[in-house]
Amino acid sequence: EVPNLQPDTYNLIVEGFSPGSEGKLDLTLSISSDRQLEICNNHIDDDHDGFTDCADRKCATSPACAQNQCRPDQTIDPVPLTGASVFKLLQTSGNGMHAQLPCATPGGETATMEIHLTAAADLSIQWNQIGSHSIALVTNDGQTLSCDAGSFKGCLNSGGVATGMTSFTNVPSGHYYLIVAANGTSAGSVSLAISGMPH
């Protein structure tokens, strides 16, 4: 099977494996409808999978999508699973939009922290914020992808409350992105205290 053949004229060459093995060969050729490849910079969902250009995983390694690759602003590697808090500040104001969260008002600027869990854990996140933000935990499915390309483990809209707390329970070991997104034009900064305990 040869996938993703574009319309054109092709030659089929049949060759014996070794001298003296030549003979008659019966071939049956069939074609089936195949999805077109995604072109990564034309603003069209070419392969009709619901993802356009750099939002499509097939474009992860395309030079046209290099600007969409996730570049975390902060890192915790690993998260200590002792209950001790790690303090980080994420600035969304002036940081650009690098992710879209399902619980956030669309169009807000974002900041991202990469975290590493060495074992399944319960995470607790306390925040103090200037502005109004949403917080999401997303699997890190590879550095060539956008920050929000993975599976969402949870998403919370703070509703503009200045301080609060959220938790993510029984998060498997692995690498994740903690994404903070301004709700609409309410960018600012978020001070986070992150702690973890083995589940």
Side-chain angles (χ1 to χ4, degrees):
E1 181 177 328
V2 182
N4 294 317
L5 280 177
Q6 300 300 309
D8 206 343
T9 301
Y10 296 90
N11 295 317
L12 180 65
I13 300 172
V14 179
E15 183 178 26
F17 285 111
S18 59
S21 66
E22 300 87 354
K24 182 180 174 185
L25 180 65
D26 291 322
L27 288 176
T28 302
L29 299 178
S30 62
I31 58 172
S32 62
S33 177
D34 200 359
R35 290 186 188 195
Q36 185 175 346
L37 292 174
E38 180 70 20
I39 299 168
C40 300
N41 60 356
N42 66 351
H43 308 291
I44 297 170
D45 180 12
D46 302 290
D47 59 4
H48 308 290
D49 67 351
F51 300 97
T52 301
D53 294 350
C54 297
D56 195 315
R57 287 173 180 259
K58 298 177 203 74
C59 292
T61 58
S62 169
C65 297
Q67 75 278 5
N68 292 72
Q69 296 172 359
C70 193
R71 292 174 182 85
D73 302 288
Q74 296 277 0
T75 302
I76 304 175
D77 187 9
V79 175
L81 300 182
T82 61
S85 292
V86 178
F87 298 91
K88 295 286 184 177
L89 177 67
L90 290 176
Q91 185 83 26
T92 58
S93 182
N95 208 36
M97 191 174 114
H98 307 288
Q100 295 183 19
L101 306 189
C103 62
T105 305
E109 295 183 285
T110 59
T112 302
M113 182 185 320
E114 183 176 14
I115 64 173
H116 176 207
L117 297 177
T118 56
D122 296 330
L123 289 178
S124 180
I125 300 169
Q126 295 181 353
W127 79 81
N128 289 304
Q129 67 178 336
I130 298 172
S132 176
H133 297 85
S134 294
I135 300 170
L137 185 67
V138 185
T139 58
N140 175 351
D141 289 358
Q143 296 293 335
T144 60
L145 299 172
S146 63
C147 298
D148 56 354
S151 302
F152 281 83
K153 295 297 182 184
C155 194
L156 170 81
N157 188 318
S158 71
V161 177
T163 186
M165 181 178 145
T166 189
S167 59
F168 302 100
T169 58
N170 196 20
V171 181
S173 62
H175 292 267
Y176 295 87
Y177 291 131
L178 187 66
I179 302 173
V180 173
N183 291 316
T185 58
S186 300
S189 62
V190 183
S191 177
L192 298 169
I194 300 166
S195 61
M197 289 291 290
H199 182 77

